[in-house]
Amino acid sequence: MCGRRPLPLRAKHEKQELEREDIMSAASPNAKKTLLIRNGTLIDGSGSPAARNDAIVIEGNRIKSIGALPPDVHPDEHKNVEVIDAAGQWIMPGLIDAHCHVSYGYPSVKGEGKGKGPTRPEFSTLRSARSVQKVLRAGVTSISVPGGTWFTDVGVRDAIKLGLMEGPRMFVAGRMIVTYGCIEDDEPSWEGTPEHSIGKLCNSADEMVTEVRRQSKHGVNFIKMADSRSGESQMLAGDEIAAVVGEAHRRNLRVAIHSRGAGSTRAAAEAGVDWIIHADLATDRDLEAVAKAGIPILPTATFLAVVIELGGKVGAEKVQLDINRMKRHYDLLGQLMHKARKLGIKLLVGTDTGNNSFTPYGELHAKELEIFVNHGGFTPMEAIIAATKHNAYAVGLEGEVGEIAPGRLADIIILKKDPIADITVLQGGRHLSRVIKDGKIIDLGAPEDLLTFQQAAE
């Protein structure tokens, strides 16, 4: 088993926020109401085999107990006990997408602006607010957002926390820190990186540290760095990566890096980043360095799979991406998954939803689980654990979400079909019976009713 390097402590104010959320939940009109889930088959996210469920008791926004019905809970005698009968259904933790862009700047929006995507922060915010409600209604109760425009994602995250609107729990980065030649450095040098793009151009370690401080001031949860798009060359120097990690960790922020290539992957492992996205061009020696450092990898094969499938249907020229390159990366990610498992490297589950018009919100968040099973050698149960218990790390809530257990936050989905028998039933929300987030039942109404703002909690 590989050694586990120490991870930065979650910022004290984030723990205080969780405590405040518990207090707000207890003060709400529904605080005295107990939610009871009876019957069904429980997949608790711990890795234990699926088992018959008797009673899951939820009080406020946390799970009070699982197992036998407690003697002090009387569903037939008290109106303050709401019962969900899950007979013939499957109960599991809410899904977590560890790679979901919310305010990505490049997808075209007909009739809005003249750039590659939303060019006004106001429009980006409203569009993002609607998008995350689709995510929640697909059974995804938490997302990690590795880069977006302006500080839109911070605002949407906080609106959800304050009860202004529904949405998943969000753990967000700001604009990706890049240098010349990195992914998202797409404009001519005299243009730089416009505010509506998701890259922030920094061409020295000092500039990168300054950007970490700026983003920290504006309330991000973690910092996203990004090396070259395809990984053939290393664009971020090792000392630059180390400078960002040092400053971010000093401020209790985590650091993720887009790194396909060998050089940047090794440098990221040596610098102590918190997770690495892709790493498909990493050598065996590089992966050994990642394993030694105890750093998880987020492969994100879904985007590639969708591009390959779409290219086969409409042709590469319409997709406007190099299909052969996508196939090469996809095959290498399959090899990476097998190598990583042998080395004891934890794999996280993310989809890159929202980074293009063909990665729509609410549709692909569980596609990565299918790829883990068919391409990466995972069992369905292992894939579910990766997308729940293990993915809790990518949203800064390990030990809080991702498992159905006493004391955990009550993020639960109920399915009409068995995801162990067929992992694809988790996709698109089509087999959902219920979504429960923070102890509240989400209305799985028609799409046109999604954008509903609520009165802020006092």
Side-chain angles (χ1 to χ4, degrees):
M1 217 27 214
C2 65
R4 188 76 180 159
R5 68 183 179 83
L7 295 172
L9 294 174
R10 187 182 308 146
K12 185 182 292 185
H13 73 271
E14 289 184 16
K15 289 185 177 180
Q16 292 171 341
E17 283 179 3
L18 269 178
E19 292 169 1
R20 282 197 296 269
E21 286 175 14
D22 286 346
I23 293 170
M24 286 171 62
S25 177
S28 70
N30 297 324
K32 294 182 180 180
K33 201 162 192 174
T34 297
L35 183 61
L36 184 61
I37 304 174
R38 300 299 308 268
N39 307 313
T41 300
L42 176 62
I43 302 168
D44 66 9
S46 71
S48 298
R52 185 183 71 83
N53 173 61
D54 183 4
I56 300 170
V57 180
I58 299 168
E59 287 192 353
N61 66 340
R62 291 191 179 265
I63 299 168
K64 179 181 179 181
S65 68
I66 62 173
L69 182 67
D72 59 336
V73 178
H74 306 286
D76 297 328
E77 300 175 13
H78 298 285
K79 292 181 180 180
N80 64 341
V81 179
E82 181 176 358
V83 180
I84 296 174
D85 185 358
Q89 300 181 83
W90 287 261
I91 308 158
M92 60 175 278
L95 293 171
I96 301 170
D97 190 336
H99 192 156
C100 180
H101 294 286
V102 171
S103 62
Y104 205 101
Y106 283 1
S108 61
V109 180
K110 187 175 181 180
E112 201 288 323
K114 296 181 179 179
K116 292 181 178 179
T119 54
R120 292 174 289 172
E122 301 88 351
F123 184 90
S124 180
T125 301
L126 290 171
R127 175 173 170 267
S128 299
R130 182 175 179 85
S131 297
V132 295
Q133 294 185 59
K134 295 180 182 179
V135 173
L136 179 61
R137 283 163 175 77
V140 180
T141 51
S142 299
I143 56 175
S144 186
V145 186
T149 57
W150 298 280
F151 288 100
T152 298
D153 302 327
V154 174
V156 174
R157 177 202 68 192
D158 291 349
I160 293 168
K161 279 186 176 182
L162 291 170
L164 293 174
M165 56 172 284
E166 290 180 335
R169 302 178 190 278
M170 292 174 59
F171 195 75
V172 307
R175 293 168 65 196
M176 302 179 192
I177 294 178
V178 301
T179 189
Y180 285 141
C182 290
I183 186 172
E184 308 309 339
D185 173 41
D186 296 322
E187 306 295 336
S189 60
W190 55 86
E191 291 288 345
T193 50
E195 285 288 312
H196 66 273
S197 77
I198 66 169
K200 176 64 177 178
L201 193 62
C202 301
N203 273 311
S204 71
D206 287 345
E207 289 180 1
M208 293 176 186
V209 166
T210 298
E211 180 60 17
V212 170
R213 292 171 177 170
R214 187 179 80 94
Q215 293 192 16
S216 175
K217 176 181 178 178
H218 287 281
V220 301
N221 301 111
F222 69 104
I223 300 297
K224 169 76 176 292
M225 303 190 76
D227 203 79
S228 61
R229 186 178 299 276
S230 301
E232 286 87 354
S233 301
Q234 181 181 350
M235 300 296 174
L236 293 169
D239 64 327
E240 292 172 334
I241 299 172
V244 168
V245 171
E247 183 63 23
H249 285 183
R250 190 170 69 81
R251 291 170 178 261
N252 291 311
L253 300 173
R254 288 177 175 171
V255 180
I257 185 170
H258 164 101
S259 173
R260 292 196 179 276
S264 56
T265 299
R266 169 80 67 83
E270 292 173 348
V273 304
D274 295 288
W275 66 91
I276 296 171
I277 301 170
H278 307 307
D280 43 298
L281 298 183
T283 65
D284 290 347
R285 189 177 172 193
D286 299 317
L287 292 178
E288 288 171 2
V290 174
K292 183 178 179 181
I295 297 171
I297 291 176
L298 176 57
T300 314
T302 295
F303 175 78
L304 302 172
V306 172
V307 170
I308 294 166
E309 181 180 348
L310 189 62
K313 290 180 179 178
V314 302
E317 66 283 353
K318 288 192 177 180
V319 179
Q320 295 184 339
L321 289 167
D322 185 341
I323 302 299
N324 289 329
R325 181 171 67 83
M326 298 293 111
K327 289 179 179 176
R328 182 172 71 252
H329 285 307
Y330 184 76
D331 290 340
L332 286 171
L333 280 178
Q335 296 174 31
L336 168 74
M337 291 178 192
H338 289 279
K339 290 178 181 179
R341 282 161 63 80
K342 288 180 181 178
L343 290 169
I345 297 172
K346 188 175 290 184
L347 294 178
L348 306 179
V349 178
T351 62
D352 225 346
T353 285
N355 84 340
N356 207 297
S357 58
F358 48 75
T359 54
Y361 298 100
E363 289 297 319
L364 300 169
H365 305 287
K367 176 73 173 176
E368 192 85 355
L369 283 81
E370 178 189 0
I371 295 170
F372 269 41
V373 171
N374 295 337
H375 203 50
F378 281 61
T379 66
M381 180 64 84
E382 288 172 337
I384 288 172
I385 295 167
T388 53
K389 180 181 179 180
H390 292 172
N391 260 8
Y393 176 74
V395 293
L397 289 173
E398 55 270 41
E400 294 280 356
V401 297
E403 289 185 79
I404 297 177
R408 299 292 199 273
L409 290 166
D411 291 2
I412 296 171
I413 60 175
I414 303 176
L415 297 151
K416 300 172 188 175
K417 291 189 176 181
D418 182 3
I420 300 297
D422 180 3
I423 197 69
T424 67
V425 306
L426 290 167
Q427 295 179 28
R430 285 174 282 277
H431 301 290
L432 284 172
S433 170
R434 301 272 187 170
V435 173
I436 299 165
K437 185 241 173 176
D438 218 28
K440 301 184 179 87
I441 299 172
I442 303 302
D443 180 7
L444 302 180
E448 59 268 21
D449 296 329
L450 290 180
L451 191 53
T452 53
F453 287 88
Q454 303 167 351
Q455 184 176 353
E458 296 180 357

